Amino acid sequence: MTGNTNPLPSLERTEPANDTEPASLTPDARRPPRQQRRTAGALLVAGPMIFLLTEFIAAAAWTDPPYSYTYHFISDLGVHGPSTLFGQYMYSPLAWVMNTGFFLFGITILAGVAALRGLSGRRRWAALVPATLLAAGGVLLGLFPGSAEAMNDGTGDFHALGALAGFVGANVLAIMLGSMHRRVGLSPKLGRTLATAGVIGLVSTVAYFADVISGANILVGLVERGATHPFLLALACAGAALWGPIDSSART
């Protein structure tokens, strides 16, 4: 016989032809090491928790009259006052707590996104750019409280810019991470949750600014939280998933 009786060499020659892109080998090959996942997960949980905890502490200290999550702006918690703006009386005894939360939460989330190793190239930038926008917005909110006096001296413009950057950056980041859930190491369910939270946040952002600009201020505190809290809760869940055991559904 002149043919090759051992088919193994031919299999070895043809097998690499099926692997045209190293990144497409398997989901496991793209998944970052466990320690990197845990670091990113811890930071992505810590960021939202910093915001929600400082918000709660500052709101609990505002007792006369009690702070309202549905009526008052979130930014009111960062104004020591007394001050009045948009028809709202602002006097936050622990304003420094909320401003510290504003300053830290975006930076912490940015660090968490930077720690994700499942993304590369344009996908990595698609996550880092909105995360940076969010971090910059948080810093501006913390450094420039939104009081009536700030609006008069011009520094209130920085506060408004920070709010816009935070709203847009956070919710675009949620949509980006949701769309890239497989590379990040999240399940399809969590991916959909993140994307949905981002869409809700962007819609709420438009409704919030329409509410403020029109002067209606109808449940403005609740509408504003629609632009922030879905993102915060969804990102915390995603971070917890990255911290814990790898979900088998994230491999498909």
Side-chain angles (χ1 to χ4, degrees):
M1 295 179 63
T2 60
N4 190 349
T5 59
N6 183 4
L8 184 58
S10 63
L11 290 176
E12 291 176 341
R13 287 194 300 270
T14 59
E15 188 176 13
N18 294 327
D19 183 17
T20 59
E21 183 182 353
S24 63
L25 284 171
T26 63
D28 288 330
R30 294 194 302 267
R31 187 170 290 109
R34 180 168 177 78
Q35 186 55 45
Q36 292 177 342
R37 282 175 53 91
R38 290 174 67 89
T39 298
L43 290 167
L44 293 180
V45 170
M49 291 302 102
I50 288 171
F51 186 102
L52 294 171
L53 184 59
T54 55
E55 179 189 33
F56 175 79
I57 293 172
W62 182 329
T63 59
D64 188 22
Y67 180 84
S68 171
Y69 272 63
T70 59
Y71 171 75
H72 287 102
F73 294 99
I74 298 174
S75 297
D76 290 359
L77 292 170
V79 178
H80 186 276
S83 182
T84 302
L85 184 64
F86 297 121
Q88 295 194 3
Y89 176 76
M90 295 175 284
Y91 180 65
S92 178
L94 293 182
W96 68 270
V97 172
M98 188 71 253
N99 289 326
T100 301
F102 283 142
F103 190 92
L104 292 178
F105 94 100
I107 294 175
T108 305
I109 291 173
L110 173 59
V113 172
L116 292 172
R117 298 304 183 204
L119 304 175
S120 61
R122 289 177 296 178
R123 294 183 179 89
R124 183 166 177 79
W125 283 109
L128 282 176
V129 169
T132 302
L133 190 63
L134 168 60
V139 169
L140 289 174
L141 289 172
L143 293 179
F144 301 100
S147 64
E149 292 73 22
M151 293 300 175
N152 292 330
D153 65 23
T155 59
D157 293 338
F158 293 107
H159 184 87
L161 183 61
L164 179 61
F167 291 148
V168 174
N171 291 300
V172 171
L173 174 62
I175 293 172
M176 290 297 101
L177 291 180
S179 66
M180 299 182 290
H181 64 87
R182 184 180 303 175
R183 290 182 176 273
V184 175
L186 299 173
S187 68
K189 182 178 180 179
L190 268 175
R192 290 191 296 270
T193 299
L194 280 166
T196 301
V199 171
I200 292 173
L202 290 178
V203 172
S204 296
T205 297
V206 174
Y208 167 74
F209 282 107
D211 198 5
V212 174
I213 293 172
S214 68
N217 289 350
I218 299 173
L219 296 176
V220 68
L222 183 62
V223 176
E224 184 180 19
R225 285 173 172 83
T228 57
H229 287 46
F231 159 78
L232 294 170
L233 296 174
L235 190 66
C237 290
L242 289 173
W243 171 266
I246 296 176
D247 189 341
S248 60
S249 64
R251 303 181 182 184
T252 59

